[in-house]
Amino acid sequence: MLAYALRRVLISVPILIASTFVVFVITALSKSPISELRAKNPPPPERTIELERQRLNLDQPLLERYWNWLLGLFRGDFGPSVQSRMDIGAEVVDRFLVTFRLIGLAMLVALILAIIVGVISAVRQYSGVDYTSTFLGFLFLSLPSFWFAILLKQAGISFNNAVGSQVLFTIGDSSVYVTGGTWAEFTDILGHMVLPTISLALLSFAAWSRFQRASMLEVLNSDYVRLARAKGLRRGTVMRKHALRTALIPLTTVTALDLGAIISGAVVTEKVFQWQGAGTFLLDAISNSDVYAVQAWLLVSATFIILFNLAADLLYGVLDPRIRYA
């Protein structure tokens, strides 16, 4: 298992390095950070524009800028922002901590629901439960993420008005002033996560449950499962040790590949619920033509996607020992 893990880690390193180059080149060629400065009326002095170009390292060739930016990453320096007082590295860390607690909880909820619903639908194929889960799956798949988030927000507001108190939080990732200590702060953050988590989790669950159902049906009809039943093993043992373990491999692949889509969905969800997370950070950086901030966001996202796919590769070896010995 150790050799298998080391091979996967070594493969991920050049992929990460290549992603830094692609991220830098695409964002550097997209728009000049001083375009907004030149568009001001009246225009600033040419000397001011030249000093800003030097501060943002725009006077350097592209490859030299990339090399200096890459060296700065090892020191925790993501480059200068168009907002001279903003530390991009510190801001990215704070914003992604907010976003990843939403993504983590949403993925956990979606995975649990997908496994339960997918297994039950496969075991009880063509039953009422199977048809109902299929209908709900396609329903959630067809819903645009921003529209579903808006519906949940309006439903939360209507519910609060009906009961006459603030039960469901619809704005922000936490309250400004919370009294009562650590436990009160924790419950406040958890309360603000309810609606955004439902919005993000149900859209992911819809696709994952269909994959889990198809994978479970394929495994249940395999020869080794029929052999296990013929040997007299208990139904629960066959389902848990022989069927479900193998059926989780395709779901692991889909979950790892969908992380990028979940992060992009979190951007929309945060905008609807007015969270000050990584999604808002990205939208603000794009509107301000803050190239280094956009590069930092894309780099952190790419790093987590690569790490998540690496974790999925390692999980393959846990679920199916034949993979790590191949």
Side-chain angles (χ1 to χ4, degrees):
M1 184 64 181
L2 180 60
Y4 173 80
L6 289 176
R7 287 197 303 270
R8 294 302 177 185
V9 171
L10 292 176
I11 292 174
S12 300
V13 172
I15 296 176
L16 181 59
I17 295 175
S19 68
T20 63
F21 181 77
V22 172
V23 163
F24 185 88
V25 171
I26 290 177
T27 53
L29 298 178
S30 59
K31 190 177 182 180
S32 173
I34 61 173
S35 59
E36 299 291 335
L37 188 63
R38 290 185 181 276
K40 287 186 176 181
N41 190 19
E46 193 62 33
R47 178 58 178 169
T48 302
I49 295 177
E50 182 61 27
L51 290 175
E52 186 68 5
R53 288 185 71 252
Q54 294 177 6
R55 187 182 72 85
L56 297 175
N57 302 325
L58 299 179
D59 56 335
Q60 302 173 1
L62 181 62
L63 292 180
E64 183 180 349
R65 286 167 55 193
Y66 167 71
W67 179 250
N68 292 332
W69 177 72
L70 189 63
L71 293 178
L73 293 178
F74 292 100
R75 302 190 302 269
D77 182 11
F78 286 86
S81 171
V82 294
Q83 305 176 50
S84 57
R85 296 183 178 181
M86 185 177 77
D87 183 353
I88 294 179
E91 192 72 14
V92 163
V93 171
D94 292 339
R95 298 296 191 94
F96 267 97
L97 285 177
V98 174
T99 298
F100 277 121
R101 74 187 183 206
L102 169 62
I103 292 176
L105 182 58
M107 291 184 68
L108 179 62
V109 172
L111 278 173
I112 294 174
L113 288 176
I115 292 173
I116 294 175
V117 173
V119 171
I120 294 176
S121 297
V123 173
R124 304 185 62 181
Q125 188 181 15
Y126 303 133
S127 65
V129 174
D130 186 23
Y131 286 124
T132 302
S133 64
T134 300
F135 170 77
L136 292 177
F138 284 113
L139 175 64
F140 289 126
L141 279 173
S142 64
L143 292 178
S145 58
F146 69 92
W147 186 68
F148 186 46
I150 293 173
L151 284 181
L152 283 177
K153 184 175 181 178
Q154 292 301 320
I157 294 173
S158 301
F159 181 80
N160 291 336
N161 292 334
V163 298
S165 63
Q166 184 78 31
V167 178
L168 297 174
F169 295 93
T170 58
I171 296 179
D173 55 276
S174 61
S175 300
V176 179
Y177 299 106
V178 180
T179 59
T182 305
W183 177 252
E185 294 178 357
F186 174 77
T187 54
D188 176 74
I189 292 175
L190 200 62
H192 282 82
M193 293 178 65
V194 172
L195 293 180
T197 299
I198 293 175
S199 173
L200 201 57
L202 289 183
L203 297 179
S204 300
F205 144 79
W208 294 352
S209 64
R210 308 319 302 158
F211 277 103
Q212 181 63 27
R213 176 185 181 274
S215 177
M216 196 68 183
L217 283 174
E218 182 180 356
V219 172
L220 289 176
N221 294 322
S222 61
D223 293 335
Y224 68 89
V225 171
R226 286 197 293 265
L227 176 61
R229 290 174 177 172
K231 291 169 62 178
L233 295 179
R234 293 181 178 178
R235 180 180 177 85
T237 303
V238 174
M239 295 292 297
R240 186 178 64 257
K241 291 187 176 181
H242 297 275
L244 179 59
R245 187 170 178 176
T246 305
L248 286 176
I249 294 178
L251 180 61
T252 303
T253 304
V254 172
T255 304
L257 294 176
D258 279 355
L259 180 60
I262 294 173
I263 293 177
S264 63
V267 173
V268 177
T269 304
E270 286 184 2
K271 188 65 177 179
V272 172
F273 289 97
Q274 301 179 33
W275 278 40
Q276 295 303 310
T280 307
F281 175 82
L282 174 65
L283 297 177
D284 291 342
I286 293 174
S287 63
N288 295 327
S289 300
D290 199 341
V291 174
Y292 286 104
V294 175
Q295 289 171 353
W297 191 94
L298 292 174
L299 178 61
V300 173
S301 299
T303 301
F304 274 98
I305 290 174
I306 292 172
L307 291 176
F308 205 78
N309 280 271
L310 174 61
D313 284 342
L314 298 179
L315 190 57
Y316 295 156
V318 175
L319 295 173
D320 191 348
R322 295 172 299 177
I323 295 177
R324 60 175 179 257
Y325 293 124

